[in-house]
Amino acid sequence: MQNQDFIYKVTPVLPELGKYSSEAPSNIALVKYWGKYGEQLPKNTSISYTLEECKTKTEVVLKKKIKADNQFHFEVFFEGKRKVSFEPKIDVFLKRIETYVPFLKSFEFEIHTKNTFPHSSGIASSASGMAALAKCFMKIEASVSPEISNVYSEHKTSFLARLGSGSACRSTGGKLVVWGEHKEIEGSSSFYGIDYPYEVHSNFRLFKDSILLIDEGQKQVSSSLGHNLMHNHPFAEQRFQQADNNITKLISILTSGDYEAFFALVESEALSLHAMMMTSSPYFILMQPNTLQVIEKIWEFRKKENVHLGFTLDAGANVHLLYPESSDPMVRPFIDSQLLSFCVNNKVIHDQIQF
Ligand code: PMV
């Protein structure tokens, strides 16, 4: 399915009033998306685990306009308070999805949103936030067009979320989600995320993600700026190729259950993402001294104790410590005794992936 498949076929009969709520989780990429083209299409395939605890909960409250006009009328409330600073990003989102959700200008609406994780934690909420909002809009569509199929609805939700924030399309459904067409993954698409369609070894079906909060500040570089730095980047083509090769490698790792190969690939992906930022123009270092200290500690501990664990990073300083459930009895005391002191106010968020 592509753009034109997601355009309304009939003019829906709209309600006068309505309330639609939904929630969506955050995700953590194993193979990273960094670089886009056209309308939020990825330059390479990415794959992510869907988290269980870190979520955004959103409610959209609609009231039909008395007099139709050609403007979006909406207000955003975060944790009960008006949040004007969130509105420009939502406005861009609404403009991008207008072709596919044509009734938005017929309503005045309020968007009420909150996260289950602390807002200032440095955890990106754009994936879960845009995914939750896309789900609300699809609920409206389902209520006015009850004939739409589940498959259409799943694909369109992810398609819309992508137009809000690329990685959000991996947060609308599924536990291990692939986004971006890849020749070895049947059904994969650059327009929306799909559930990883192949066998996954039990080693990778109950995984912990302990997020070590190294920096709570605002991002130094927004994702859209970061993606744009991949245009004219000296290593861009090699990076996109590397990511696609890593998807191929990951398919066999996920079947075989090879922890060592898994962590080698996931860590290399995280460091490659940061290497792209360090070698772009302008360049950025998003890791902090404590990020490196934590990485050193993880490697030291892994070598000494022969325990299955590894890390990944997003476009920021926080470290996601990934490990299977079986490593939990060793890793939890390690976090408490050796890593917490590198975190802001000793903060860590323990999340997990299960399927
Ligand atoms: O969804 P965006 O545009 O915020 O991009 C985020 C990209 C990374 O989080 C850095 C990597 C990924 O694949 O999630």
Side-chain angles (χ1 to χ4, degrees), residues 27-36 40 44-48 89 124 126-127 161-162 164-170 179 219 222-225 227 239 269 273-274 277 313-316:
N27 69 69
I28 182 69
L30 303 172
V31 173
K32 309 287 179 183
Y33 149 62
W34 199 244
K36 61 181 176 180
Q40 301 271 98
N44 64 265
T45 310
S46 58
I47 181 165
S48 56
K89 200 168 174 195
S126 63
R162 184 195 101 234
S165 174
S167 61
C169 78
R170 300 190 312 242
W179 171 40
K219 280 198 195 175
S222 72
S223 306
S224 29
L225 189 92
H227 291 292
R239 163 62 199 149
E269 271 292 316
L273 169 72
H274 281 255
M277 298 179 211
L313 308 165
D314 261 340

Side-chain angles (χ1 to χ4, degrees), residues 29-32 242 246 259-274 294-295 298-299 302 307-313 319-322:
L30 303 172
V31 173
K32 309 287 179 183
Q242 176 198 36
N246 278 343
Y259 284 127
E260 217 174 296
F262 178 83
F263 290 119
L265 186 145
V266 167
E267 290 183 356
S268 162
E269 271 292 316
L271 295 177
S272 299
L273 169 72
H274 281 255
V294 164
I295 292 174
I298 295 168
W299 285 345
R302 181 167 68 195
V307 59
H308 302 304
L309 92 156
F311 72 87
T312 188
L313 308 165
V319 179
H320 288 247
L321 198 57
L322 297 175

Side-chain angles (χ1 to χ4, degrees), residues 237-251:
E237 287 313 313
Q238 295 91 323
R239 163 62 199 149
F240 303 140
Q241 191 57 53
Q242 176 198 36
D244 281 344
N245 294 344
N246 278 343
I247 293 279
T248 303
K249 286 187 194 158
L250 193 60
I251 295 171

Side-chain angles (χ1 to χ4, degrees), residues 28 75 257 305:
I28 182 69
E75 290 179 345
E305 304 293 341

